[in-house]
Amino acid sequence: MTPTLYEWAGGDTALRRLLDAFYDRVENDALLAPMFPGGVSEQHRAHVTVWWAEVFGGPANYTSEHGGYATMLAHHIDLGITADQRRRFVELMSVAADDAELPDDPEFRSALLAYVEWGTRLAMSNSQPGAEPIQQAPVPKWSWGVAPPFQP
């Protein structure tokens, strides 16, 4: 039986280490820190950890406790994420995975960074003024393979 990315990563504890390492870097980054005036709150870190857990095959708690995809989408509307910010997000997440001592096998890191690339491109697109994103969709379920395009 192939483990989920959630299990392979080390569950909630490992994903929280990843998100803390990432947001610690974001708070000190000239390009991304302005998106989080006053720093990245404990609540934000906790909620994003729950999102990542669900995306990577863990419990569906973001959907049941926080509203699922529509809630995550709402957090990105009108942010105007730039291409440079998106690329920096990907870069810092890759380094944070090392900081958090997540598994470093090529298969896991490929899946992790594929999700980050996909998610940041979607977030950037949805964050633009006048964007008309899909309002209702399932929380993505990322795995070891590739994801087909979502079509409502």
PDB file of all heavy atoms in Angstrom, residues 125-126 128 130-135:
ATOM      1  N   SER A 125      -3.335  33.731 -10.156  1.00  0.00           N
ATOM      2  CA  SER A 125      -4.398  34.010 -11.123  1.00  0.00           C
ATOM      3  C   SER A 125      -5.668  34.492 -10.423  1.00  0.00           C
ATOM      4  O   SER A 125      -6.282  35.485 -10.825  1.00  0.00           O
ATOM      5  CB  SER A 125      -4.689  32.746 -11.938  1.00  0.00           C
ATOM      6  OG  SER A 125      -5.792  32.941 -12.782  1.00  0.00           O
ATOM      7  N   ASN A 126      -6.045  33.795  -9.365  1.00  0.00           N
ATOM      8  CA  ASN A 126      -7.273  34.145  -8.640  1.00  0.00           C
ATOM      9  C   ASN A 126      -7.166  35.459  -7.877  1.00  0.00           C
ATOM     10  O   ASN A 126      -8.184  36.053  -7.524  1.00  0.00           O
ATOM     11  CB  ASN A 126      -7.652  33.029  -7.665  1.00  0.00           C
ATOM     12  CG  ASN A 126      -8.134  31.780  -8.366  1.00  0.00           C
ATOM     13  OD1 ASN A 126      -8.533  31.807  -9.526  1.00  0.00           O
ATOM     14  ND2 ASN A 126      -8.082  30.661  -7.655  1.00  0.00           N
ATOM     15  N   GLN A 128      -5.834  38.320  -8.912  1.00  0.00           N
ATOM     16  CA  GLN A 128      -5.753  39.520  -9.740  1.00  0.00           C
ATOM     17  C   GLN A 128      -7.063  40.303  -9.729  1.00  0.00           C
ATOM     18  O   GLN A 128      -8.146  39.707  -9.690  1.00  0.00           O
ATOM     19  CB  GLN A 128      -5.379  39.151 -11.176  1.00  0.00           C
ATOM     20  CG  GLN A 128      -4.051  38.427 -11.283  1.00  0.00           C
ATOM     21  CD  GLN A 128      -2.915  39.126 -10.557  1.00  0.00           C
ATOM     22  OE1 GLN A 128      -2.643  40.297 -10.803  1.00  0.00           O
ATOM     23  NE2 GLN A 128      -2.250  38.411  -9.659  1.00  0.00           N
ATOM     24  N   GLY A 130     -10.299  41.838 -10.823  1.00  0.00           N
ATOM     25  CA  GLY A 130     -11.209  41.462 -11.895  1.00  0.00           C
ATOM     26  C   GLY A 130     -11.213  39.983 -12.233  1.00  0.00           C
ATOM     27  O   GLY A 130     -11.941  39.563 -13.138  1.00  0.00           O
ATOM     28  N   ALA A 131     -10.408  39.179 -11.524  1.00  0.00           N
ATOM     29  CA  ALA A 131     -10.401  37.735 -11.777  1.00  0.00           C
ATOM     30  C   ALA A 131     -11.784  37.162 -11.485  1.00  0.00           C
ATOM     31  O   ALA A 131     -12.510  37.653 -10.621  1.00  0.00           O
ATOM     32  CB  ALA A 131      -9.355  37.048 -10.901  1.00  0.00           C
ATOM     33  N   GLU A 132     -12.126  36.139 -12.218  1.00  0.00           N
ATOM     34  CA  GLU A 132     -13.405  35.452 -12.011  1.00  0.00           C
ATOM     35  C   GLU A 132     -13.116  33.972 -11.738  1.00  0.00           C
ATOM     36  O   GLU A 132     -13.370  33.108 -12.579  1.00  0.00           O
ATOM     37  CB  GLU A 132     -14.305  35.629 -13.222  1.00  0.00           C
ATOM     38  CG  GLU A 132     -14.707  37.081 -13.438  1.00  0.00           C
ATOM     39  CD  GLU A 132     -15.640  37.269 -14.625  1.00  0.00           C
ATOM     40  OE1 GLU A 132     -16.192  36.272 -15.147  1.00  0.00           O
ATOM     41  OE2 GLU A 132     -15.809  38.424 -15.027  1.00  0.00           O
ATOM     42  N   PRO A 133     -12.581  33.674 -10.542  1.00  0.00           N
ATOM     43  CA  PRO A 133     -12.212  32.294 -10.241  1.00  0.00           C
ATOM     44  C   PRO A 133     -13.438  31.401 -10.046  1.00  0.00           C
ATOM     45  O   PRO A 133     -14.532  31.882  -9.760  1.00  0.00           O
ATOM     46  CB  PRO A 133     -11.420  32.412  -8.943  1.00  0.00           C
ATOM     47  CG  PRO A 133     -11.937  33.651  -8.307  1.00  0.00           C
ATOM     48  CD  PRO A 133     -12.296  34.579  -9.440  1.00  0.00           C
ATOM     49  N   ILE A 134     -13.205  30.117 -10.194  1.00  0.00           N
ATOM     50  CA  ILE A 134     -14.238  29.141  -9.860  1.00  0.00           C
ATOM     51  C   ILE A 134     -14.502  29.270  -8.372  1.00  0.00           C
ATOM     52  O   ILE A 134     -13.568  29.196  -7.564  1.00  0.00           O
ATOM     53  CB  ILE A 134     -13.761  27.722 -10.217  1.00  0.00           C
ATOM     54  CG1 ILE A 134     -13.542  27.611 -11.724  1.00  0.00           C
ATOM     55  CG2 ILE A 134     -14.735  26.669  -9.711  1.00  0.00           C
ATOM     56  CD1 ILE A 134     -12.812  26.362 -12.151  1.00  0.00           C
ATOM     57  N   GLN A 135     -15.731  29.470  -7.991  1.00  0.00           N
ATOM     58  CA  GLN A 135     -16.067  29.723  -6.583  1.00  0.00           C
ATOM     59  C   GLN A 135     -16.182  28.454  -5.743  1.00  0.00           C
ATOM     60  O   GLN A 135     -15.916  28.475  -4.549  1.00  0.00           O
ATOM     61  CB  GLN A 135     -17.364  30.523  -6.487  1.00  0.00           C
ATOM     62  CG  GLN A 135     -17.275  31.908  -7.081  1.00  0.00           C
ATOM     63  CD  GLN A 135     -16.311  32.808  -6.328  1.00  0.00           C
ATOM     64  OE1 GLN A 135     -16.331  32.881  -5.106  1.00  0.00           O
ATOM     65  NE2 GLN A 135     -15.438  33.475  -7.056  1.00  0.00           N
TER      66      GLN A 135
END
